[in-house]
Amino acid sequence: RGPSRELINEIAPEILEITNYIIVEAEKIFKKVDKNILCPLADHIAYAIKRIKSSEQISNPLTQDIKALFPEEYEVARKGKDIIKEIKDVEINEDEIGYIALHIHSSLGDEKVSQAMEIAMLVRACITSIEDSIGKQIDIESLSYNRLMSHIKYMAARILKGETIKLDMNDYISERFPKSFKIAERICKKLGRELKKDIKDVEIGYLAMHIERVILDEL
């Protein structure tokens, strides 16, 4: 079931054209896209264009994280930027692209935009904690950074769904990488508090492994 006709009638035809183009581009990559994204995404684009015309830019502190967490969604949103420029002659910025990417991401499963945003914020908080613990910023272009982000993203999704990893690596990892294990322990506690969920201890070892990789890369 798609969005209702009444709702669609309220949206300007050229905004529908832009939104439909973005959905078609998303389908080329993801095959199955929930059409119910049409109205909220069209709404978002209409307001974004309005804001830019009135010179009111909104900022998105998570743009870089969204780019790293959802690269394919971001790529589709970037194509949306081109069509918005072509049809409305309005140039949207990277922060707006980030928000469109979240809408696209939410159309791929039952994860709403707000939940995708929550995961992006949690990942950002975890990365900041790791940077504070190792005393330096992590190179966002590095492979280990992207692996770490990806791991935290799936870990947060697992926690929200109440799923867990089966194999326990904690004894092995805590012995080999005690510093990374302590950082991972702190972060898992923090995530548990933020999400108001119990995080299984088994997650600590896996996170520590990724932190260790980042530390080695940053030496």
Side-chain angles (χ1 to χ4, degrees):
R1 247 173 24 90
S4 76
R5 193 164 294 235
E6 294 77 30
L7 277 172
I8 285 176
N9 286 343
E10 289 171 18
I11 301 167
E14 66 271 29
I15 300 293
L16 276 179
E17 191 185 338
I18 291 165
T19 311
N20 192 54
Y21 170 86
I22 292 170
I23 290 172
V24 168
E25 285 300 314
E27 282 175 332
K28 284 180 192 171
I29 296 177
F30 302 110
K31 306 293 181 266
K32 192 171 172 1
V33 172
D34 181 0
K35 298 290 194 301
N36 283 310
I37 168 190
L38 185 75
C39 288
L41 180 53
D43 253 0
H44 181 86
I45 290 166
Y47 280 114
I49 290 168
K50 210 171 172 180
R51 275 195 301 273
I52 290 160
K53 283 185 167 171
S54 330
S55 307
E56 298 169 25
Q57 295 280 349
I58 54 163
S59 72
N60 181 350
L62 298 168
T63 300
Q64 287 306 105
D65 302 313
I66 291 164
K67 212 174 187 174
L69 286 167
F70 314 120
E72 290 174 312
E73 292 91 325
Y74 193 88
E75 196 45 44
V76 171
R78 212 177 49 72
K79 288 180 179 169
K81 172 191 167 128
D82 298 339
I83 198 84
I84 291 168
K85 174 75 179 150
E86 196 182 305
I87 292 176
K88 296 294 288 179
D89 197 27
V90 166
E91 192 85 48
I92 65 165
N93 64 13
E94 285 220 345
D95 291 342
E96 291 286 3
I97 294 172
Y99 284 121
I100 291 172
L102 285 180
H103 278 277
I104 294 162
H105 180 70
S106 77
S107 75
L108 305 177
D110 55 5
E111 195 181 328
K112 298 285 173 279
V113 175
S114 58
Q115 196 179 319
M117 194 77 173
E118 185 183 6
I119 286 178
M121 284 166 77
L122 285 170
V123 172
R124 168 60 18 222
C126 290
I127 298 284
T128 304
S129 290
I130 293 165
E131 288 175 332
D132 290 346
S133 301
I134 65 175
K136 63 196 310 190
Q137 277 204 307
I138 302 166
D139 175 14
I140 61 170
E141 299 298 320
S142 70
L143 180 62
S144 53
Y145 175 80
N146 278 288
R147 279 183 177 151
L148 174 66
M149 286 206 88
S150 191
H151 177 77
I152 298 171
K153 173 179 83 169
Y154 289 118
M155 184 170 85
R158 268 197 306 278
I159 293 159
L160 288 167
K161 287 177 186 163
E163 294 169 358
T164 190
I165 299 173
K166 299 286 179 278
L167 184 66
D168 191 331
M169 303 265 288
N170 284 5
D171 291 344
Y172 173 75
I173 300 288
S174 62
E175 207 172 291
R176 283 201 64 188
F177 315 124
K179 183 184 174 186
S180 294
F181 193 84
K182 277 199 171 65
I183 296 170
E185 217 167 13
R186 263 204 317 276
I187 285 166
C188 284
K189 275 201 181 101
K190 182 179 177 166
L191 259 181
R193 281 198 305 273
E194 297 274 345
L195 292 170
K196 298 182 176 58
K197 299 264 186 188
D198 277 339
I199 297 185
K200 306 284 184 287
D201 286 348
V202 68
E203 292 285 359
I204 299 167
Y206 286 90
L207 179 57
M209 211 159 46
H210 285 281
I211 293 169
E212 185 65 23
R213 270 192 191 147
V214 165
I215 291 172
L216 290 173
D217 270 12
E218 295 299 315
L219 288 176

